Amino acid sequence: MNSIDESPKNILTARARLGEGPIWHSQKQLLYWVDIYNHRVHEFNPTTGEQKFFDVGEVVGCLAPAKTNRLIMALRHRLAFLDTNNGDVTPIIDVETEKPSDIRLNDGKCDPAGRFWFGSMSTSGPTARLFRYDPDGSLHVLLTGLTVSNGLGWSPDRKTFYLTDSPTKKIYAFDFDVASGNISNQRVFAEIDIDSGVPDGLTVDRDGCIWSAIWDGWCIVKFDPTGKEMARISMPVQRPTCCVFGNQDLATLYITTASVGLSEEEIQKSFYSGDLFSLATNISGMPTYEFAG
């Protein structure tokens, strides 16, 4: 594949339990990502190699940039702001008000208009949902009947929305109206044919190609805008979880990984599980959108 200059590099020994949801903060030129079960939001400077983390006190599923040195986060059953200057967590709104024990919030991102999209995941069947939180403070349920709402993104022309339901091994596409924030015309964009692997987080590049991290698949799969597989990028770990393009030119792919649930034998085969990786490409990714509220 002519867009890949090298193999993924291990750039940070993090040993995360469940590293997820990387975002590139263009203004700060920093990478943020979460370690869900360790309740941490990590901040990494790829230029200096410096990293630190904020303990947010509970499960943190995803995050996105917000204004005035803040990040917006989906915690277990609520949204909150994180102040990256002092680590303060400010609650915004409860999402799952009944707080069922088998449901928590999961992956999410902001859309091109600055609305925060995030989903939930269920351990008891298709009871998860996809939500949208608008800058005016309103919360909307966009989809029901999901199992693990995961990997989401938007096409460069802002006309298509992508969403992954991991256990089904499917990535869906929808028509997207950027003015209203509505989605329609759900269809299967791609279905993963790796025996043990399931699609996890994803990112979209400026050519409209989708890069999906394959949990238990030891790889990142790149699809063209029609859903045809273009390439598989081998990873040295069993559970890559998500990816995002970063750096000044948005041409470096950052990849989070997980160690949770692996046996001792699997960890020996996948020794660097939970670490942060990067991959140099000659492709430019899409920016990480900021919450407009």
Side-chain angles (χ1 to χ4, degrees):
M1 178 175 147
N2 60 13
S3 59
I4 302 300
D5 296 331
E6 55 189 58
S7 298
K9 291 182 178 179
N10 188 322
I11 57 171
L12 180 65
T13 303
R15 295 296 191 267
R17 290 182 64 199
L18 185 49
E20 265 285 9
I23 63 169
W24 180 252
H25 200 300
S26 295
Q27 290 182 339
K28 295 185 175 183
Q29 291 292 291
L30 295 173
L31 184 79
Y32 290 93
W33 56 282
V34 302
D35 185 353
I36 293 177
Y37 292 140
N38 281 331
H39 308 165
R40 294 174 176 176
V41 171
H42 287 261
E43 178 186 284
F44 177 67
N45 186 328
T47 301
T48 64
E50 296 178 8
Q51 75 96 27
K52 64 180 180 179
F53 65 82
F54 304 93
D55 188 334
V56 298
E58 61 179 285
V59 162
V60 50
C62 63
L63 45 76
K67 298 177 180 178
T68 60
N69 294 306
R70 296 186 301 175
L71 303 173
I72 186 170
M73 307 179 293
L75 302 178
R76 183 182 290 276
H77 297 118
R78 60 181 180 146
L79 303 185
F81 286 119
L82 172 66
D83 188 320
T84 57
N85 284 336
N86 55 28
D88 287 349
V89 175
T90 304
I92 300 173
I93 188 173
D94 287 342
V95 178
E96 300 284 2
T97 55
E98 297 178 0
K99 297 181 174 58
S101 60
D102 67 331
I103 290 181
R104 69 163 174 84
L105 300 182
N106 197 44
D107 199 9
K109 291 174 183 170
C110 283
D111 71 13
R115 295 168 290 231
F116 187 46
W117 297 53
F118 59 96
S120 57
M121 60 177 288
S122 170
T123 59
S124 61
T127 58
R129 297 182 283 178
L130 174 69
F131 302 88
R132 192 189 76 225
Y133 180 70
D134 292 358
D136 64 6
S138 59
L139 182 66
H140 308 267
V141 178
L142 300 180
L143 282 176
T144 59
L146 299 168
T147 310
V148 177
S149 179
N150 220 334
L152 66 167
W154 290 265
S155 60
D157 64 6
R158 305 183 176 190
K159 293 181 178 180
T160 306
F161 168 68
Y162 301 99
L163 179 73
T164 304
D165 192 353
S166 293
T168 69
K169 295 197 172 188
K170 293 176 181 176
I171 302 172
Y172 294 99
F174 302 76
D175 294 342
F176 172 65
D177 182 74
V178 68
S180 66
N182 293 330
I183 53 175
S184 60
N185 188 25
Q186 180 177 356
R187 63 267 188 195
V188 175
F189 169 75
E191 190 163 4
I192 303 302
D193 63 0
I194 299 172
D195 289 341
S196 61
V198 299
D200 200 330
L202 64 76
T203 194
V204 184
D205 67 29
R206 289 191 186 272
D207 294 328
C209 298
I210 282 73
W211 303 60
S212 175
I214 309 301
W215 174 277
D216 280 341
W218 298 82
C219 66
I220 306 292
V221 175
K222 179 184 178 183
F223 298 95
D224 74 11
T226 70
K228 179 182 177 181
E229 182 177 324
M230 297 179 69
R232 293 188 185 185
I233 298 98
S234 296
M235 291 288 298
V237 294
Q238 181 173 333
R239 293 182 167 171
T241 57
C242 196
C243 50
V244 70
F245 285 96
N247 288 7
Q248 192 72 42
D249 56 2
L250 295 179
T252 298
L253 190 71
Y254 290 100
I255 306 160
T256 51
T257 68
S259 62
V260 66
L262 295 177
S263 66
E264 289 188 16
E265 181 180 358
E266 287 172 325
I267 288 178
Q268 288 303 313
K269 295 178 181 177
S270 181
F271 185 76
Y272 299 104
S273 295
D275 288 356
L276 181 67
F277 293 80
S278 71
L279 178 69
T281 78
N282 58 18
I283 295 171
S284 184
M286 296 296 294
T288 298
Y289 299 117
E290 178 183 272
F291 182 60

